[in-house]
Amino acid sequence: MKNDTPTVVIGAGPYGLSIAAHLKSQGIPTRVFGKPMEFWQGMPAELYLKSVWSASSLSDPGGKYSITRYYADANISRQEPIPLSHFIEYGTWFRQHAVPDVDPTYVQSLAHDGQGFHLDLADGRSVKARQVIIATGIAPFTRIPAFARNLPASLATHTQAHGDLSCFKGRRLAVIGSGQGALEYAAMAHEAGADVEIIARGPVLWINRKLYTHTGPARHLFYPPSDVGPPGLNWLIAFPVVFSRLPDGARQLIDQRAVRPAGAAWLRSRVEGHLRITPSTEVRRATAQGDGVCLELSDGSTREVDHLLMGTGYQPDIHKLTFIDELLHRKIQEHGGRPLLNEWYESSVPHLYFSGALAGHTFGPICRFVVGSKTAAVQITQHAAQAA
């Protein structure tokens, strides 16, 4: 293939934009396909980010386009937690400055012919690529519990399906889950006029950063800027390449501890005392009953609600990326639906890279957060530059 054959980035969220910014800085011909910040734009406007300020910037090589720079340029006062609307505006500003030529067309098919990659686009065009980086985000990976999979969308949906919760005004709503998404959507639904109950398999926990609050300047010894995971593990998680060298078992244990369901401290006052919370209780069965749902719970009680809202998170699985050709799928070595990657985020197929949540098996929980985009962009670009 000719050296001017482009490198293609599939996805235009924080990871796709960050990786493209780094590739372009090295003079690597790069094309980006996807609707910029699409996943984020589908969320309710009143949502806030869980990430702290230091972990909320997209990545460019010189750090010129940080969220701090955006707020200064836009003359906006710093606010934490960060409003979603501000973050989307920041992502748009970043794209305009660092990656201005994003093509919003979806990729329908990605295949590999042994020498390079072939992409078919939704508008009928075809593109050849020397290297491909998949940065599609988490939208395809919604986790729906078995008890809700046969219910119609009129009765049960994932939080991802709702950019406006006013549709639940005056309705009885059961929110399933105890992570940030479940708790914040429950609060927003209540504030929109719904009668809300949170039902969680485990306890409802709130993030407590006592060491940050009470240790003065020493707080930065306990909490790295990435701020993912509890003190003691967070510094290891902050360096995903180092994390990737740990044994499989250790990586899995750290991942489970670091991302256990919990709500941000600032959200607590909007939930406790306002919503019914039923912790440590499982939904054994959910049955459509007229215009509503009857829930049978593990404590022997039942609930009759108008709608089930799944705040049950996401389960990355490469097989849900339906645009990947079947023959290419077979060449990608994986573990539990997540590709096995080398230190450059490269899969078992040379020059095919994965970032974001799909890279989490190798590089840890930081891959689920915006702050993980920097290491992915640096590693992928360094390796891609050698082959360009």
Side-chain angles (χ1 to χ4, degrees), residues 123-178:
D123 61 6
R125 288 179 292 156
S126 294
V127 176
K128 294 289 186 182
R130 183 177 182 83
Q131 305 173 104
V132 172
I133 298 99
I134 294 179
T136 48
I138 60 175
F141 308 134
T142 52
R143 180 193 281 117
I144 303 296
F147 62 78
R149 290 173 192 162
N150 294 323
L151 293 173
S154 60
L155 298 179
T157 50
H158 193 275
T159 52
Q160 180 179 291
H162 298 279
D164 181 359
L165 296 170
S166 63
C167 62
F168 295 120
K169 182 177 180 179
R171 303 180 72 194
R172 297 165 300 171
L173 182 66
V175 177
I176 309 301
S178 59

Side-chain angles (χ1 to χ4, degrees), residues 84-201:
L84 172 67
S85 59
H86 288 186
F87 184 70
I88 292 173
E89 292 164 2
Y90 162 57
T92 300
W93 176 86
F94 181 97
R95 176 187 60 77
Q96 291 170 342
H97 286 82
V99 194
D101 52 352
V102 173
D103 187 325
T105 311
Y106 290 127
V107 173
Q108 278 195 330
S109 175
L110 170 66
H112 186 250
D113 61 12
Q115 296 182 344
F117 298 91
H118 178 92
L119 297 90
D120 291 326
L121 306 181
D123 61 6
R125 288 179 292 156
S126 294
V127 176
K128 294 289 186 182
R130 183 177 182 83
Q131 305 173 104
V132 172
I133 298 99
I134 294 179
T136 48
I138 60 175
F141 308 134
T142 52
R143 180 193 281 117
I144 303 296
F147 62 78
R149 290 173 192 162
N150 294 323
L151 293 173
S154 60
L155 298 179
T157 50
H158 193 275
T159 52
Q160 180 179 291
H162 298 279
D164 181 359
L165 296 170
S166 63
C167 62
F168 295 120
K169 182 177 180 179
R171 303 180 72 194
R172 297 165 300 171
L173 182 66
V175 177
I176 309 301
S178 59
Q180 176 72 12
L183 298 173
E184 191 166 7
Y185 273 77
M188 291 187 292
H190 164 73
E191 291 158 3
D195 178 6
V196 181
E197 178 179 2
I198 296 169
I199 302 174
R201 290 187 303 172

Side-chain angles (χ1 to χ4, degrees), residues 211-284:
L211 290 175
Y212 189 89
T213 305
H214 300 296
T215 55
R219 66 172 65 100
H220 299 297
L221 297 176
F222 297 105
Y223 294 91
S226 56
D227 196 42
V228 176
L233 294 178
N234 50 12
W235 276 103
L236 177 59
I237 293 167
F239 295 94
V241 175
V242 175
F243 182 93
S244 72
R245 294 171 182 155
L246 297 175
D248 282 3
R251 295 202 312 274
Q252 292 176 10
L253 287 173
I254 293 172
D255 185 88
Q256 291 171 3
R257 173 60 184 88
V259 295
R260 65 179 181 176
W266 52 261
L267 181 60
R268 190 170 188 171
S269 62
R270 293 170 57 192
V271 174
E272 291 187 341
H274 299 283
L275 312 178
R276 180 178 180 181
I277 300 175
T278 303
S280 304
T281 305
E282 295 190 46
V283 177
R284 292 283 172 81

